[in-house]
Amino acid sequence: MSELEDKYADIRPYNDDEVAASLTRLINDDAFIDVIAKYNLPRFLSVVPFIARPMVRSQLRKKWGKVSTVEDVQNEVAQYLDKLVKRTTSKVTFSGLDQLDANQAYLFISNHRDIVLDPALVNWGLYQHKMKTVRIAIGDNLLQIPYITELMRLNKSFIVKRSAKAPKEMLKALTQLSSYIYDSLIGGNSIWIAQKEGRAKDGFDQTDPALLKMLQLNGRKQKKEFGDYIKELKIVPVSISYQYEPCAIAKAKELYHKQHHGEYVKSAGEDIASIVEGFSTAKGHVHLAFGQPIESKCDSAEELAKTIDRQIIGSFYLHPGNYIAGGCKEAVIDSPDTATFEQRIACVPEELKPLVLAMYAKPFHRKTEINTNSCEY
């Protein structure tokens, strides 16, 4: 193992020589096998572990027998995503990818609506366009279960240590993260990171300047000015837009609880449930707009955040539900789209409806602020 890999051993994704051992750990993990059984076997079999587990293990050994590299894993994930897209979306479309250089590593900073689907669909777009898939930033709050850690690190995910609380420990973790992102980019590996910690549960997409200050920690170590260093990172804003907001009711419940009771504490396994719901439920049309690399010199984190936001908001693809919730009467919307959206809203508990409608309305209103033609559909 090289010195570079050793330096990041506790946060980086797995390398080729670690794939086989990770797959073995997954196959031997009863909790993982039980989850696979639950979603892939008939119920009468999946609830009988001494029958289900050997069946699932045998199938996985056969399926993963020839998987030995990170690229092999990416090809497996691509096959799964292909099925997921066909099963849970009406279509997934992309814009802006043809303007990017396939041989250039980029730092993709996107809005964040779904825990795993957002980076997965960014990768899906890159894969479709014969470009290298990204290394994905994930919070260590998602890694409470061993098999989740294995799956994430197999799938090119690196760890953001959100659990670090003491100032010195936090600075050390953020400095390591900043350095890892830079070294990945210089080494030809693109990165995906969300524009802020946590999903935009209220539909308000906004870049956190603290994220951009973290990126600059490595630049400061190199004694580079903020604007000069940021240009090196080749930041590309990405705007992800779902026709049907993933986990909308769960997000609204959290917002409602905060409004009426103050702090909201997630229950054990809630993030995993959100991941499963995001994967399994209907999403309609999903569009990903890849922006232009930020070449203009931004001299502060706040200025850069506004520049990223302008691209994300400006290129956000507005679906019929965004226009309907936003009250845009001028938009030409097909009757079936209107009926489908209204049926979905009708299924939302009454006290949560204003919050769910606001999720859909927010992108429309924000885009209207920067684009006077936003009513054209």
Side-chain angles (χ1 to χ4, degrees), residues 99-290:
Q99 303 298 311
L100 300 179
D101 180 354
N103 299 311
Q104 173 68 54
Y106 296 102
L107 172 53
F108 296 105
I109 298 181
S110 85
N111 59 337
H112 195 23
R113 298 304 184 87
D114 187 88
I115 295 172
V116 174
L117 267 182
D118 294 347
L121 291 174
V122 166
N123 265 345
W124 177 242
L126 295 171
Y127 189 86
Q128 296 292 306
H129 285 73
K130 306 288 188 276
M131 296 170 73
K132 276 179 73 173
T133 52
V134 296
R135 291 177 173 175
I136 300 164
I138 56 161
D140 58 3
N141 57 299
L142 295 176
L143 307 180
Q144 309 302 315
I145 301 171
Y147 72 77
I148 296 292
T149 304
E150 295 292 347
L151 289 170
M152 294 295 190
R153 295 185 79 178
L154 270 173
N155 192 33
K156 296 177 72 170
S157 297
F158 60 95
I159 299 165
V160 178
K161 296 177 181 174
R162 289 182 183 166
S163 57
K165 297 301 178 193
K168 274 190 179 177
E169 183 190 6
M170 195 182 298
L171 180 60
K172 184 182 176 184
L174 292 174
T175 302
Q176 181 193 33
L177 179 63
S178 181
S179 178
Y180 176 75
I181 289 171
Y182 180 81
D183 286 346
S184 291
L185 293 166
I186 294 302
N189 293 285
S190 290
I191 295 285
W192 175 89
I193 195 164
Q195 66 181 162
K196 64 178 180 181
E197 184 179 319
R199 292 166 292 165
K201 299 181 181 76
D202 58 358
F204 191 87
D205 299 317
Q206 188 169 44
T207 305
D208 185 354
L211 165 74
L212 309 177
K213 289 173 183 174
M214 175 277 291
L215 296 175
Q216 164 62 5
L217 287 173
N218 189 62
R220 193 186 303 166
K221 197 165 67 176
Q222 295 180 17
K223 295 185 167 52
K224 292 177 181 174
E225 293 293 325
F226 182 87
D228 294 330
Y229 182 73
I230 289 301
K231 282 176 74 174
E232 287 185 45
L233 301 182
K234 305 288 184 193
I235 292 173
V236 172
V238 182
S239 187
I240 305 174
S241 166
Y242 295 87
Q243 185 173 1
Y244 305 126
E245 183 76 18
C247 307
I249 292 177
K251 290 174 183 174
K253 281 180 180 174
E254 183 174 332
L255 294 172
Y256 185 83
H257 190 279
K258 281 181 178 174
Q259 282 179 1
H260 291 82
H261 307 287
E263 188 184 5
Y264 178 83
V265 179
K266 285 184 181 178
S267 58
E270 195 168 328
D271 282 331
I272 306 305
S274 292
I275 290 171
V276 171
E277 185 181 344
F279 272 149
S280 58
T281 55
K283 289 161 278 291
H285 173 201
V286 187
H287 184 76
L288 288 83
F290 288 78

Side-chain angles (χ1 to χ4, degrees), residues 351-369:
E351 72 275 12
L352 302 180
K353 277 181 184 172
L355 291 165
V356 172
L357 285 168
M359 282 179 211
Y360 286 96
K362 190 71 71 177
F364 168 77
H365 290 308
R366 295 193 75 209
K367 190 161 182 170
T368 301
E369 292 170 13

Side-chain angles (χ1 to χ4, degrees), residues 33 41 48-61:
I33 296 300
L41 293 180
V48 187
F50 72 87
I51 297 176
R53 286 173 183 170
M55 287 178 66
V56 173
R57 285 194 170 104
S58 173
Q59 286 297 312
L60 288 180
R61 285 192 188 98

Side-chain angles (χ1 to χ4, degrees), residues 63-64 67 71-81 127:
K63 186 175 177 59
W64 291 347
V67 176
E71 188 173 352
D72 290 341
V73 173
Q74 291 297 286
N75 289 331
E76 285 289 317
V77 171
Q79 288 180 37
Y80 174 77
L81 271 175
Y127 189 86

